[in-house]
Amino acid sequence: MSASAAVTANPQTMTSPLLSVKRLRIERRTAEGLQTLVSGVELTVQPGETIGIVGESGSGKSITTRAITGLLPPGLTATGEIRYAGRSLLGLRERDWRTVRGTELGLILQDPFTMLNPIMRCERILGESLRNGGTSWFARREEAIRRLAEVGIHDASVIDRYPFQLSGGMRQRVAIAAALARDPSLLIADEPSTALDVTTQREILALLRRIQVARGMSLILITHDLRVAFAMCDRIYVMYAGSLVEVAPADKLDAEPLHPYSNALLLSEPPVDRRVAELVAIPGSVPSPGEVANKCVFVPRCQWAQSACHQGSPLLREVMPGRLSACIRVDEIRGQMTALRRQSAEAVFRPADTTPRNQILQAHGIQKVFGGQRHPVVALDNVFLEVREGESVGLVGESGSGKTTLSRVLVGLEHATAGNVTVGGVNVADWRKLNRKDLATIRRTVQVVFQDPYSTLNPMRSIGWTLAEAITTHKPDTRQVDREVEGLLEAVGLPTSYAQRRPAALSGGMRQRVAIARALAARPRVLICDEPVSALDVSVQAQILNLLNRLRAEREIAYLFITHDLSIVRQVTERIYVMHRGRVVESGTTDDVLNHPQDPYTVRLLASAPTAERDWLDGTR
Amino acid sequence: MHSGRTGPVIAACLAVVLGVIVLATFGPLLAPLDPAVQNLASVNAPPSGAHWLGTDALGRDILSRIIVGARTAFVGAFVIAATSFLFGNLLGLLAGYRGGWIDAILMRWVDMMWSIPTLLVLIVFAGIIGAQYWPSVAVLVVLTVPFDLRVVRGATLEQVPRPYVEAAKTLGVPGWRIMLLHIWPNVSASAIANAFLVFADALVVLSGLSFLGLGVPPGTPDWGLMLAENVPLLFVHPVASLAPGALIVLTATSMNLIGDWLQEQLATRGER
Ligand SMILES: Nc1ncnc2c1ncn2[C@@H]1O[C@H](COP(=O)(O)OP(=O)(O)OP(=O)(O)O)[C@@H](O)[C@H]1O
Ligand code: SF4
Ligand SMILES: [Mg+2]
């Protein structure tokens, strides 16, 4: 544990925190009146301390930090108390903010593109922010180069480039350098690594931590990934539906969460190092703060909820020294929460029988080149891959490695430059030359579940219409289409009444269930799942993964599971292919590859997967 | 729809358009007098109890001529808007969805039509086959389809890479179904709004043709023609030319505003 964490073990008794937020409430004015987005948030940050705000999408993490930095979007208002070094920040005028932002508070956002002015070279970007760069052009330039070196960019020519000429990781480094240019004493980083590749993510987080320690700066890290928070932070604030549900030192939270939500969040994170029998999913989806006003925010999804939990919204209270929880029943249910965690740790996965079966999907020497003659981009280079009946195969690699292109080639959404694909016995060299019968065979053999649940369904069509079309496309003479639609909805765990709804009335997780149901309508033998859970809330991811595992057992479907997340691939596959820059660099059984990686790239990928351990970030530049 | 409020401006526009439709349909029944009857005893009469808007240089009742004239103004523009909506949408979906040589050929046509001034083509055309109404309408359709086509093709191109379209493709849904039942509902907002703009434009161009004597035959009650016939009397008898002129502007503007409003209303459909 770092020294700062020990000092701040009990923040309540400390004298002067750098930042303190009390009773923060953020509301939005709508046609129907005021809508509460965040309420009752209390935060303290000590000098030199790193705190984490963890929560799922929409829990209010971002707007909380926006309120702190005075950058609330129009239409939103904040009330309560925000003090920075004894000075009240709420109600500050825009002119006064300029002396606070940058010099006292630095801000880094998820997407570095939105922070960097696209028409300025890096030198200007940094020059604008530098206070003591010196008066001469030369001195400022020297200073900017020095600042870039601090964030790990040692190539001085970067200073003359525009943001779009840099990779995502480099852009984020420049954004960090700009945020640090005026030496703020508190840096707020909102998902600084989410938009980046896993390998780059680790480098950026390690960089932030190194700078934070070197400068003795305070850091607020916002993340949806508990493991990242554990590795980086001294104390963690867990937010859910606009409220804080738990506050605890990182190591204590990891050892024993004191709120059912934190407990469930920990449980639903798939472990990287072993395969579990079943992931623990939280039922339902994240409510909006309005739906859970005047009761415990976790009531609709909590297995311990009682009538008392419905009476008024519980306040955060000190359960143990330095540990706050908003659960009124925490003392009674602590034992049960611990038991639940032990249970899931002990349940072992029983491997399915692995007798070799017939091959149903094969890619043979696939090459795919994009772009014209002048600037060819080789997306796939001589790729071999096969999927056999009933098995689950993983395809891992970072973004841009060619995973999605390969899956599109496999189903004919993209035409390979060279090589061929065999689907269910039909050999495809050219999709345009297939006859009707072969095409129908292919469609019945392979189906796809796409990444983005928000655009995978036609927004103008009801769920029932979409499923009915899928059914009749494959069996035009189906009699009772409605019954079949209901059957599909039941198979993916959705109420049959949802057939009438439009996609907009469904959450991301529900939409992904519909997308799976649509793919199942063809009764495929292979399902290609392209990052099916990466756009979903952590607590919902486990539901979908469990559903996929269950469907596989029930229907004997084979999966080609595409993901960048190694902990997921561990949970759902038996064999994997590792892709890097358009080539398959390694393949084998999932256990072998993840436990004893051979290729240097696989080794690097494995080291990048976040673990709760603090030494996860050691050993990077 | 997104909000129940339509605003007084849109309500007024709808009233204008509805009024014109009623006149175009029942005009001859509603006109107080026969629009063709000349009364040389009372020419260029100012508005009075007998002739609410007065009479023109041949003593014909202006109000009656305006009421009956709604038909030529409306029908031609409607035919143009509807026909080019149909073809523009079908071809636009085809070009955007299929791409390749179909797209290349259609876009060649679009670019060509785009660079030709509409009125000039019509004048040349009228010079060759003589001034006639329906042939002019047909030429206008050919000139307007590319306009719709371009809008729909652009909107279609935006939809094609979306996962819902790709999902339909991998399901094996036939291309025509994907175009008409999947993509079209998602591009219809701009297509429908565009049809209203096309209507307004066609109304003005057709009236312009009549004004130039290239549209309806002389003597027909028609707003554009009335404008032309009565312009020499502008200072003597202003109502005679101002009334049909104002109606052309009012109807065209109303159609434009309704188009914009519809687009806003339709665009938010998928979000609920
Ligand atoms: N500009 C805005 N106008 C109105 N409401 C907003 C605005 N920005 C955010 N909200 C609402 O505030 C709530 C919290 O959003 P916020 O962005 O803080 O969540 P978050 O925890 O950062 O989620 P994520 O993990 O997706 O970034 C959401 O209900 C969101 O719809
Ligand atoms: S207060 Fe009740 S509903 Fe809320 S977390 Fe605790 S037990 Fe569950
Ligand atoms: Mg956010």
Side-chain angles (χ1 to χ4, degrees), chain A residues 30-90:
Chain A
T30 65
E32 292 90 44
L34 282 184
Q35 180 194 357
T36 304
L37 298 177
V38 163
S39 67
V41 167
E42 316 250 332
L43 288 176
T44 52
V45 184
Q46 304 295 340
E49 188 187 27
T50 300
I51 69 155
I53 305 183
V54 179
E56 297 175 71
S57 175
S59 58
K61 313 178 296 285
S62 294
I63 51 173
T64 298
T65 52
R66 291 194 154 257
I68 294 171
T69 45
L71 292 171
L72 272 184
L76 302 193
T77 50
T79 51
E81 189 185 292
I82 301 177
R83 292 192 162 273
Y84 181 84
R87 176 180 182 194
S88 172
L89 294 186
L90 260 189

Side-chain angles (χ1 to χ4, degrees), chain A residues 356-600:
Chain A
R357 305 217 221 151
N358 296 334
Q359 157 196 313
I360 36 178
L361 183 65
Q362 190 196 38
H364 192 89
I366 296 289
Q367 186 174 29
K368 175 71 191 173
V369 183
F370 286 110
Q373 304 270 304
R374 227 174 298 156
H375 305 286
V377 177
V378 182
L380 295 174
D381 188 7
N382 200 18
V383 173
F384 288 83
L385 172 145
E386 67 166 9
V387 179
R388 290 172 177 277
E389 248 166 28
E391 76 172 340
S392 176
V393 178
L395 184 59
V396 297
E398 52 194 10
S399 78
S401 60
K403 308 186 296 288
T404 298
T405 309
L406 179 57
S407 73
R408 292 169 62 83
V409 167
L410 288 175
V411 294
L413 287 172
E414 211 79 74
H415 301 297
T417 314
N420 56 19
V421 173
T422 310
V423 186
V426 180
N427 190 322
V428 194
D430 187 345
W431 286 87
R432 283 156 290 207
K433 293 199 184 113
L434 284 175
N435 63 35
R436 210 172 266 270
K437 190 171 134 282
D438 284 346
L439 205 54
T441 309
I442 291 174
R443 296 305 178 211
R444 253 182 285 115
T445 309
V446 199
Q447 283 297 313
V448 188
V449 175
F450 294 89
Q451 175 169 11
D452 179 7
Y454 297 97
S455 53
T456 193
L457 302 175
N458 191 334
M460 304 301 279
R461 298 296 184 185
S462 71
I463 304 307
W465 190 95
T466 297
L467 294 181
E469 178 181 57
I471 293 166
T472 49
T473 299
H474 287 278
K475 278 205 351 219
D477 51 351
T478 310
R479 287 280 168 70
Q480 292 171 306
V481 178
D482 288 351
R483 281 237 18 94
E484 295 247 339
V485 168
E486 285 174 12
L488 283 176
L489 285 171
E490 274 161 14
V492 296
L494 285 177
T496 51
S497 63
Y498 278 27
Q500 269 91 47
R501 298 205 185 178
R502 285 248 189 103
L506 267 56
S507 72
M510 294 176 184
R511 293 185 204 198
Q512 205 58 303
R513 285 173 191 268
V514 176
I516 293 171
R518 174 177 57 192
L520 291 179
R523 306 190 178 278
R525 288 150 71 203
V526 193
L527 203 55
I528 299 182
C529 302
D530 188 356
E531 303 267 11
V533 297
S534 67
L536 302 177
D537 285 334
V538 189
S539 70
V540 180
Q541 284 187 6
Q543 291 174 13
I544 299 294
L545 294 177
N546 284 340
L547 170 69
L548 287 170
N549 270 339
R550 174 168 65 74
L551 288 171
R552 186 176 156 214
E554 286 172 9
R555 305 189 172 218
E556 302 212 319
I557 309 177
Y559 288 148
L560 178 60
F561 209 98
I562 301 175
T563 178
H564 66 275
D565 192 331
L566 294 174
S567 51
I568 288 178
V569 95
R570 172 82 85 173
Q571 303 309 320
V572 292
T573 68
E574 288 100 48
R575 256 185 345 109
I576 60 172
Y577 294 87
V578 181
M579 280 192 81
H580 182 47
R581 304 218 174 126
R583 310 185 64 111
V584 170
V585 294
E586 186 162 4
S587 66
T589 68
T590 307
D591 283 339
D592 280 352
V593 173
L594 295 189
N595 297 341
H596 314 286
Q598 301 297 318
D599 188 85

